[in-house]
Amino acid sequence: MKGPRSQVALAALLFVAVSLVALTRAAAPSPPLGIPADWVGPWKQGDLLFGTDEPQQTYRQAVVGNGYMATVVGSPDIYVSGVFNGEESLSKRARLPATNAITVTNALHTGSALNIREGVFYRRSYFKPCIACAEADIEQRWYAHRFYPSLLVRTTVSPTNESITLTLANNNGTATTDLDLSPYGAPPGLAVIAGPTRLLETPKQQPTFVAVATNNVPDSITVNATGSSTTFYFITAIRTNHDSEYPIDAALTDLQNAQFMQGSLRKHHIEEWEKIWEAGIEVGARFELGQAVNSSIYYLLSSIRAGDYETNSSRFGSAFRVKSYSVSPGSLATTGYSGHSFWDGETWMYPTMALFYPEVARNLLQYRSDRIPEASANAALNGFKVGLKFPWESGYTGSEVCPWPPGLFEHHLMGDIALAVQQYWRLTRDKQWLKEEGINLAVGIAAFWISHVEWNSTTQKYSINHVLGPDEYATGPDNKGINDNAYTNTIARISIEFAAEAMQILGLKVDPVWLNISSNIYVPFNATGNFHPEYVGYEYGQVVKQADTILMGYPALDQLPEQVRRNDLEYYEEVTDINGPAMSWGMFAIGWLEVGEYQLAAKYFNQSYQLNLNLPFNAWQETVNGGCPHFITGAGGFLQGLWAGFGGVRILNDRVVFKPVLPEHTTYLKYRQFHYLGSQIDIAFDDKQITFGLTSQGAQALAVTSSKGDKQILGAKSPVILPTASAPFYLSAYPQ
């Protein structure tokens, strides 16, 4: 029998200082053949992905990015957040020619690695200048600097006792057709190109001006026989008029400052990633799952960062305004889906960010807030009297840039954004944010739904017509949508209810008509089958592209009877396209765990990632057959399966619920720096007990309550330890 001493021992094991733990504690199998000895340790910890051969296809290659810029390693392309080219529906992320896709052409490749913890890609090779000569080992490194976001760094390191000459080639591809780039004057050894984007999303938009400063890449470099390592730095600095008043001067200054401190660049970069990894998800004893978790978080954070702040000259050569941009399904490193923002940000990627990286999550909401004027104009343009209609596809301006006509009817996006606003409020209770930003989104979206509903004399309820739900196979007559999509109508109701709640919190008057409408929105239901048809007129057996109706249970958190929830899952698992997008399967896993079907949940959880990760660097793809490359939407859905599914996490109005169960073949799960009401909590559980440990205390005290009703205050030196069997657990403010 385990007594109190055993509990304390487990707590000590699970809450050892973050600086001493790896990203995952999964037990590693035997190291892969060919891995260098000094990479084995990070690989065993789940921090490093290794391949003896680098993939030639860019959809399988690793990405380096920092949320401001990103590139697929070795590709001829660099992309910068917020830089688009093209008119209206032809808008796409603008391509910059790569300046750092450098290869050593006369060396033999021996292996490559993506070090997830460091945010650095490594390529190793060797050069043998003559038969009698010793081999010279060469290591190339790529990283988009996390601390200095304007910098993209590539280095070559070679220790040798022989003088050798290495030949270089840069894969910068063809000239870009997205910007009018011209050379500008630069000091010897440096080059600057700069210019505006060629085509604008809207006539009112000003061109985006981009400046790129870089080292000149020579045809060869000579390494002298010093007996110690020699490092060559190839640094690129990129600035735009979104973040700098004088982009050319700023890029050149950043480059020169980086050259001056080049010996410490990697150190500062790694230190910044170490801070990021203080939060996250830890897996015990299942190695491949741990690697998938770590790489998924890495790829998400390579494409987005906290926004809307200004750094000063102590950090950069000149002020750097980090603006708020959203995230695209194909990451920041590709033009997948043209680099546009969809519901993917708020529904699939945002929730994990909100729990572990709230400043990054707030950036996604700020992107929408900044574009409220465009959303208001878009609503009026589409015949809605009031409210906010955000575009299904959004680029830089926030105007509609969707090239696919049915996409214009995907109005569920408004509800998806409202759910994200509600989640942020519930996690933070930040009344100042609600007053300044959240209320405008919440009320504007609610007003859109009020303008959208139509009284249906047959059902004696309000209908929402001419919409397209997440199931994009159901485009309706003439591609103008269907009526009363169950998920869309559900989140429309929730949007209005939350707006009313937010108004009451801020002392604003709520129109009773709104509440009457919200309580009378029609949701189709088949009483005979005791399940929800996807929409009015849905034909039994019709194939569905992706998770749609089942999203009513999660993430919408509609209070469905358990048998109805089960029936919805049973029906839609049979008709959902097996070749659909990856994120659907995580939603089935979450749903089956809700109703206690562990084996089915395990099946769909595995399906949510195992067939969509491209080895050796775990690059995501949209479907089992391919689709959008570097599909980080899939990463978002998969990660939710780990905390909303196996953690049973539900973020409610006055508490967070936990109903933990371990994934198969794991020994524990741990959520590091789970953010709630200004505090950070480490939450770890195995099959016997769960531990809540406070790592940072906010202004609001917290308490944990078990299903038996016993409540314990969470203190800095007093973790709460409870038997897992006494789930569910409730984390809440104290006093409540």
Side-chain angles (χ1 to χ4, degrees):
M1 178 180 293
K2 288 190 175 182
R5 183 171 299 187
S6 298
Q7 289 184 334
V8 172
L10 179 63
L13 167 66
L14 296 182
F15 289 98
V16 70
V18 171
S19 62
L20 300 179
V21 302
L23 305 190
T24 174
R25 288 187 175 274
S30 298
L33 293 175
I35 186 170
D38 60 322
W39 286 355
V40 170
W43 178 84
K44 283 185 174 181
Q45 299 289 355
D47 296 350
L48 182 143
L49 303 172
F50 169 76
T52 52
D53 297 312
E54 269 185 50
Q56 298 302 305
Q57 309 94 330
T58 56
Y59 72 86
R60 294 179 55 218
Q61 179 60 291
V63 165
V64 292
N66 57 23
Y68 174 75
M69 70 168 83
T71 184
V72 176
V73 173
S75 79
D77 315 316
I78 299 174
Y79 297 101
V80 177
S81 185
V83 181
F84 290 85
N85 180 67
E87 296 174 343
E88 298 179 343
S89 63
L90 297 179
S91 165
K92 65 180 179 65
R93 200 186 297 285
R95 170 186 170 267
L96 288 168
T99 55
N100 71 330
I102 304 166
T103 56
V104 179
T105 59
N106 61 339
L108 296 176
H109 177 257
T110 58
S112 297
L114 174 64
N115 191 309
I116 301 164
R117 178 178 284 276
E118 295 181 355
V120 179
F121 183 85
Y122 294 89
R123 179 187 294 158
R124 286 190 177 173
S125 53
Y126 73 90
F127 177 71
K128 192 175 176 66
C130 65
I131 296 177
C133 296
E135 294 177 357
D137 295 318
I138 302 161
E139 181 173 275
Q140 300 169 75
R141 304 166 180 164
W142 285 261
Y143 51 98
H145 209 285
R146 194 74 202 186
F147 190 74
Y148 303 109
S150 65
L151 301 182
L152 191 61
V153 184
R154 187 267 189 195
T155 62
T156 297
V157 183
S158 179
T160 180
N161 292 314
E162 304 279 351
S163 293
I164 61 173
T165 298
L166 304 176
T167 57
L168 306 179
N170 185 26
N171 179 26
N172 53 13
T174 58
T176 180
T177 59
D178 297 327
L179 299 101
D180 284 319
L181 296 177
S182 300
Y184 282 75
L190 306 183
V192 175
I193 55 172
T197 49
R198 290 179 169 175
L199 299 170
L200 309 179
E201 286 182 2
T202 70
K204 294 181 180 180
Q205 179 192 354
Q206 295 298 313
T208 299
F209 192 92
V210 181
V212 181
T214 187
N215 310 83
N216 289 323
V217 179
D219 294 330
S220 64
I221 53 176
T222 297
V223 183
N224 295 318
T226 62
S228 60
S229 294
T230 302
T231 303
F232 297 87
Y233 291 85
F234 299 93
I235 304 170
T236 298
I238 301 177
R239 290 292 197 105
T240 78
N241 59 343
H242 301 165
D243 52 69
S244 314
E245 188 173 1
Y246 303 104
I248 295 174
D249 293 344
L252 190 56
T253 300
D254 286 353
L255 174 60
Q256 292 172 316
N257 286 346
Q259 288 181 310
F260 179 75
M261 58 179 295
Q262 61 188 20
S264 62
L265 284 176
R266 189 166 71 107
K267 173 179 177 290
H268 292 316
H269 167 75
I270 292 173
E271 286 174 349
E272 199 71 6
W273 270 106
E274 289 284 356
K275 294 176 186 175
I276 289 172
W277 288 119
E278 290 175 1
I281 302 173
E282 203 169 298
V283 180
R286 188 168 159 184
F287 184 70
E288 51 82 26
L289 175 57
Q291 284 189 319
V293 171
N294 298 341
S295 57
S296 294
I297 295 174
Y298 166 80
Y299 284 127
L300 283 171
L301 291 171
S302 294
S303 287
I304 190 169
R305 62 190 297 120
D308 259 12
Y309 63 87
E310 184 166 324
T311 60
N312 57 38
S313 58
S314 65
R315 183 167 178 177
F316 292 96
S318 57
F320 191 110
R321 298 186 300 271
V322 181
K323 301 296 289 182
S324 293
Y325 298 107
S326 190
V327 64
S328 177
S331 83
L332 182 54
T334 79
T335 54
Y337 288 108
S338 299
H340 295 163
S341 300
F342 300 71
W343 72 317
D344 303 56
E346 286 82 7
T347 301
W348 302 107
M349 302 180 231
Y350 167 91
T352 299
M353 298 295 102
L355 293 185
F356 300 103
Y357 307 99
E359 291 182 356
V360 175
R362 182 167 175 173
N363 175 58
L364 293 173
L365 298 180
Q366 185 66 47
Y367 172 81
R368 299 296 186 182
S369 292
D370 290 345
R371 288 154 182 81
I372 281 177
E374 289 74 22
S376 178
N378 192 33
L381 184 66
N382 284 272
F384 299 99
K385 294 179 181 179
V386 293
L388 303 177
K389 183 183 186 298
F390 289 94
W392 176 239
E393 297 191 32
S394 182
Y396 173 67
T397 64
S399 298
E400 181 64 77
V401 291
C402 177
W404 184 56
L408 304 179
F409 297 94
E410 296 215 37
H411 298 169
H412 65 87
L413 171 67
M414 270 46 74
D416 302 324
I417 296 171
L419 288 180
V421 174
Q422 180 190 61
Q423 184 179 11
Y424 189 84
W425 163 250
R426 288 179 170 182
L427 284 170
T428 65
R429 290 279 164 174
D430 185 341
K431 197 169 181 179
Q432 190 67 25
W433 170 84
L434 185 67
K435 180 179 179 180
E436 295 177 356
E437 297 178 29
I439 192 67
N440 298 324
L441 289 169
V443 171
I445 289 170
F448 166 79
W449 293 120
I450 297 298
S451 295
H452 204 323
V453 298
E454 301 175 36
W455 180 253
N456 187 320
S457 59
T458 301
T459 63
Q460 292 293 294
K461 297 279 187 180
Y462 288 99
S463 285
I464 301 177
N465 298 326
H466 301 295
V467 297
L468 176 58
D471 173 18
E472 293 175 325
Y473 292 165
T475 58
D478 301 320
N479 288 330
K480 292 185 178 179
I482 46 81
N483 296 336
D484 288 324
N485 173 265
Y487 171 66
T488 300
N489 287 19
T490 297
I491 58 176
R493 186 201 81 227
I494 294 170
S495 300
I496 299 170
E497 292 172 348
F498 173 64
E501 176 193 344
M503 293 171 74
Q504 290 170 342
I505 290 168
L506 296 177
L508 303 175
K509 185 178 180 180
V510 179
D511 189 338
V513 172
W514 284 26
L515 298 178
N516 177 62
I517 289 174
S518 69
S519 62
N520 285 285
I521 292 177
Y522 177 68
V523 175
F525 185 73
N526 183 316
T528 302
N530 200 27
F531 82 110
H532 291 96
E534 187 180 286
Y535 55 88
V536 171
Y538 173 81
E539 296 182 4
Y540 193 85
Q542 186 176 324
V543 175
V544 171
K545 177 183 177 180
Q546 60 190 352
D548 187 322
T549 308
I550 67 166
L551 302 179
M552 293 169 62
Y554 178 89
L557 304 187
D558 197 26
Q559 297 303 300
L560 303 175
E562 182 175 319
Q563 190 58 52
V564 173
R565 177 72 160 139
R566 178 183 292 272
N567 291 348
D568 285 349
L569 291 164
E570 285 181 352
Y571 174 75
Y572 286 104
E573 74 173 353
E574 295 296 326
V575 297
T576 300
D577 191 345
I578 190 66
N579 294 314
M583 66 278 191
S584 293
W585 313 119
M587 299 304 102
F588 278 104
I590 291 168
W592 283 123
L593 282 165
E594 276 185 11
V595 298
E597 294 288 350
Y598 182 85
Q599 292 304 320
L600 280 171
K603 167 191 169 183
Y604 283 111
F605 176 69
N606 292 338
Q607 191 173 325
S608 76
Y609 75 101
Q610 289 180 342
L611 299 179
N612 295 81
L613 292 181
N614 287 293
L615 299 178
F617 303 121
N618 281 0
W620 277 86
Q621 65 182 36
E622 183 176 15
T623 72
V624 293
N625 295 322
C628 179
H630 296 282
F631 186 67
I632 56 176
T633 300
F638 156 67
L639 291 170
Q640 289 185 59
L642 269 175
W643 57 262
F646 290 102
V649 175
R650 296 293 182 271
I651 302 160
L652 304 183
N653 195 37
D654 58 349
R655 64 195 183 279
V656 179
V657 181
F658 296 85
K659 194 176 180 181
V661 59
L662 289 174
E664 60 182 357
H665 311 307
T666 63
T667 54
Y668 75 88
L669 281 182
K670 180 178 179 181
Y671 309 128
R672 299 192 305 269
Q673 292 197 1
F674 185 104
H675 285 69
Y676 186 56
L677 302 185
S679 292
Q680 297 169 25
I681 309 106
D682 282 359
I683 303 161
F685 64 91
D686 59 16
D687 59 353
K688 292 185 173 56
Q689 61 189 39
I690 185 169
T691 306
F692 295 81
L694 192 66
T695 60
S696 177
Q697 175 73 65
Q700 173 65 60
L702 301 176
V704 178
T705 308
S706 74
S707 60
K708 297 180 180 179
D710 54 313
K711 180 177 291 187
Q712 299 184 48
I713 300 173
L714 196 57
K717 297 182 179 180
S718 53
V720 173
I721 305 170
L722 296 165
T724 308
S726 61
F729 309 98
Y730 308 100
L731 179 65
S732 63
Y734 181 84
Q736 201 163 2

